[in-house]
Amino acid sequence: MSSSSSIYDHFLFFRESLDDYHDRREKLIKASRDITNISKKTIFLLHRLSLEAKDASARISASKAGLKKLHEVQKMYADMKDDLVGDQFWRYQRQVSPGLQEYIEALSFAHFLENGKLVTYEQVQATLCGADGVAYFPLTISDYLLGVSDLTGELMRFAISGFGRPGGRSRALETCNFVRNCKSDFERFTPYVWGLHKKQAVTAQSLAKIEDAAYTAVVRTSEFDLPPEMLDDIVNQTVSSYNHNDRKIERGDDNGEEFNEPYR
């Protein structure tokens, strides 16, 4: 009788453990989807405000508006920390990773608009810490690299959308060089980070689009002795097809997210 009772107690323990695992997993999946949604909205906000910006100070204001919205995500991660203590983080990393990468993409875009640089690993980890400086969970190198790799798609849209605006051609050339450097620097990590080589392929496509548009801008500028306003109009008409095609592409299809296996 005692043996049967012991076996029964063990099965009760297993049932409770499995129920706790699945409940926690579903909770983290829902939170990660909400984080992805907020991060995407932040990226759209940054695009809209940066397109309307006429100078560097306006772009900094746009960046600050995006960072303010990302505070919602940081609060959500603070609420998730109790479910990701110790080894629990590694157990549920696959559920946390998709939303985390989208958050890093939005954060890196806001950082680029303000500083013109790539956000560092330490800066990202600092946003995922409490007031006491203790991290909610460890930021993996792979999540960081995959998140910032997605930034190149947003920079392609940022560069091409701003071509017809004052100073847009010079900013596009600077952005082109930045994306080229990112592709070159990330290439060395592709053998060590799963999925990075596929995102590198998408980065190459984004870089080619910026280079084509920049080439068009430089050639048209050298061909015509026209006022800057008319040149901006010519370049804007020439590259408008890029914007038109990009609007037809869903956000996730252009940054390599189809290569992820989210929330499994």
Side-chain angles (χ1 to χ4, degrees):
M1 183 68 179
S2 60
S3 177
S4 299
S5 176
S6 176
I7 293 174
Y8 179 75
D9 290 340
H10 277 85
F11 272 95
L12 282 180
F13 173 76
F14 295 149
R15 184 185 68 180
E16 292 173 357
S17 297
L18 286 173
D19 287 343
D20 177 71
Y21 166 76
H22 289 294
D23 290 345
R24 196 186 303 266
R25 180 176 178 274
E26 291 301 319
K27 176 183 176 182
L28 292 174
I29 287 175
K30 182 181 183 304
S32 190
R33 286 173 176 164
D34 292 340
I35 288 170
T36 299
N37 186 37
I38 295 173
S39 299
K40 285 182 180 293
K41 289 180 178 179
T42 302
I43 291 172
F44 298 150
L45 173 67
L46 289 169
H47 275 298
R48 179 173 59 82
L49 295 180
S50 63
L51 191 60
E52 297 171 354
K54 297 182 179 180
D55 52 29
S57 61
R59 286 191 295 276
I60 291 175
S61 298
S63 172
K64 293 186 181 301
L67 292 174
K68 182 178 180 181
K69 188 167 182 62
L70 287 177
H71 287 165
E72 300 177 32
V73 175
Q74 293 159 12
K75 291 179 181 178
M76 295 178 70
Y77 279 126
D79 294 337
M80 293 165 59
K81 65 179 181 180
D82 292 337
D83 295 318
L84 300 171
V85 175
D87 293 341
Q88 292 286 78
F89 171 75
W90 303 106
R91 190 177 190 186
Y92 299 104
Q93 185 192 9
R94 289 174 64 86
Q95 286 72 52
V96 176
S97 184
L100 181 58
Q101 291 178 29
E102 195 70 32
Y103 164 72
I104 293 173
E105 180 184 358
L107 180 66
S108 61
F109 189 27
H111 183 84
F112 176 83
L113 290 177
E114 183 175 358
N115 303 286
K117 299 178 181 178
L118 186 67
V119 66
T120 66
Y121 172 90
E122 290 77 13
Q123 288 171 325
V124 176
Q125 181 70 86
T127 67
L128 300 173
C129 296
D132 54 1
V134 178
Y136 303 141
F137 51 83
L139 173 64
T140 65
I141 297 295
S142 60
D143 281 334
Y144 168 73
L145 287 174
L146 293 172
V148 294
S149 292
D150 289 336
L151 171 64
T152 56
E154 304 308 330
L155 293 183
M156 179 270 293
R157 295 180 179 86
F158 169 72
I160 294 178
S161 298
F163 256 110
R165 306 218 170 229
R169 294 195 300 277
S170 62
R171 284 197 300 273
L173 292 174
E174 294 172 359
T175 303
C176 183
N177 290 330
F178 180 85
V179 173
R180 188 181 296 113
N181 291 334
C182 285
K183 183 180 182 302
S184 176
D185 291 340
F186 294 161
E187 194 66 35
R188 71 189 71 177
F189 298 106
T190 52
Y192 310 105
V193 178
W194 184 89
L196 184 58
H197 69 286
K198 297 178 180 179
K199 297 208 173 192
Q200 279 289 87
V202 178
T203 296
Q205 295 173 6
S206 298
L207 178 59
K209 291 179 181 179
I210 303 174
E211 288 176 337
D212 288 345
Y215 174 80
T216 300
V218 172
V219 170
R220 295 305 181 191
T221 301
S222 62
E223 285 180 348
F224 301 103
D225 184 16
L226 297 174
E229 295 79 9
M230 295 185 66
L231 285 173
D232 287 337
D233 185 57
I234 292 174
V235 173
N236 192 34
Q237 291 178 15
T238 304
V239 302
S240 61
S241 59
Y242 291 107
N243 290 331
H244 179 70
N245 291 333
D246 286 337
R247 292 190 191 101
K248 294 180 181 179
I249 301 175
E250 288 294 332
R251 173 63 191 85
D253 293 339
D254 198 18
N255 69 353
E257 288 183 359
E258 68 272 25
F259 304 117
N260 290 335
E261 297 180 4
Y263 313 119
R264 293 186 180 181

